[in-house]
Amino acid sequence: MAAQNSTEQTNILSIDIGGTSIKTVLLDENGNMLSEYLKSKTPEGATPKDIVTGIEALIKPIPNTFNRVSIGFPGYVKNGIVKTAPNLAKNKWADVDLAQRVADALNKPVRLVNDADQQGLGVVEGKGFEIVFTVGTGFGTALLFDGELLPHLELAHFPLNKDEDYDDYIGNKAFEKIGGERWNKRLKKVIETYKTVFNYDFLYIGGGNSKQIDFKLDDNIKLVTNRDGIKGGAKLWKLADKYNIFTVNPKV
């Protein structure tokens, strides 16, 4: 019984909210998967209520042997508050206290960060300056130095021209509109830009459209999966509260 209680005090429910799907898995404190990797479709134009309800439904098969929750969210998050959600419901997400809503619904403490940030924690080697791209519904980025998550920058919304930002340029809508060949040429340009601007030591590329990449990558670029990234939910709880890492407890 003592061993079971110890396990219950260290397990983490890790959740990855995407524009296309919501994923979850139960992790131990070292990021090892203790349950099946589950996913469900994100409702089109998902509202905050849709997301909380979707999480509650998705995690039903997972045993309640966790006492912390990690969430990666596709937008800008500050202190558990969602500021932007470009690929979810329009005009429904500004200043939404999503971490508090999930903490109250599950009665567990929650840490909520950008989805690329959580994935970054799950995939980086922790050596030098590392960048993570997610190329899925939108374009996500995370910056880490020696495994330390740096303050989040919404580089996806840096304007390319008067009509487009990187999210428009390389997101899934662009892929569907221009096709794989042109999309790959665009991704090459984005990589070259980041190589010049950031001079990163290593770049990781994940997200649903990473499997569409058809060109040879540099030796310091690696493809990763959502399954790898969701393990970042464990590392998130090893970090101190700072920058945009903020623990939200359920209201009594």
Side-chain angles (χ1 to χ4, degrees), residues 75-91:
Y76 190 84
V77 177
K78 187 171 185 179
N79 297 338
I81 306 293
V82 173
K83 298 297 183 179
T84 65
N87 295 303
L88 300 178
K90 302 291 184 186
N91 304 318

Side-chain angles (χ1 to χ4, degrees), residues 163-235:
D163 298 317
E164 289 182 307
D165 59 17
Y166 279 91
D167 209 46
D168 299 318
Y169 187 69
I170 207 70
N172 192 57
K173 286 183 180 178
F175 181 89
E176 292 178 346
K177 182 179 179 181
I178 65 177
E181 183 177 354
R182 288 182 62 195
W183 182 86
N184 273 276
K185 288 180 179 178
R186 288 186 175 190
L187 182 58
K188 277 185 180 180
K189 287 184 179 180
V190 173
I191 291 172
E192 287 301 316
T193 298
Y194 273 64
K195 190 188 305 185
T196 301
V197 173
F198 293 100
N199 193 27
Y200 54 77
D201 293 304
F202 219 96
L203 172 67
Y204 304 82
I205 305 178
N209 280 339
S210 62
K211 62 182 178 290
Q212 306 293 343
I213 296 173
D214 64 6
F215 55 92
K216 186 179 185 305
L217 299 170
D218 294 343
D219 291 340
N220 66 337
I221 300 178
K222 179 182 178 181
L223 296 181
V224 295
T225 69
N226 288 331
R227 283 175 179 258
D228 296 325
I230 203 168
K231 296 177 183 178
K235 269 192 189 169

Side-chain angles (χ1 to χ4, degrees), residues 12-16 68-72 111 118 232-234 236-237:
I12 297 150
L13 180 71
S14 188
I15 300 168
D16 177 13
R68 295 168 289 176
V69 180
S70 297
I71 305 175
R111 283 185 167 184
Q118 178 164 280
L236 183 59
W237 279 96

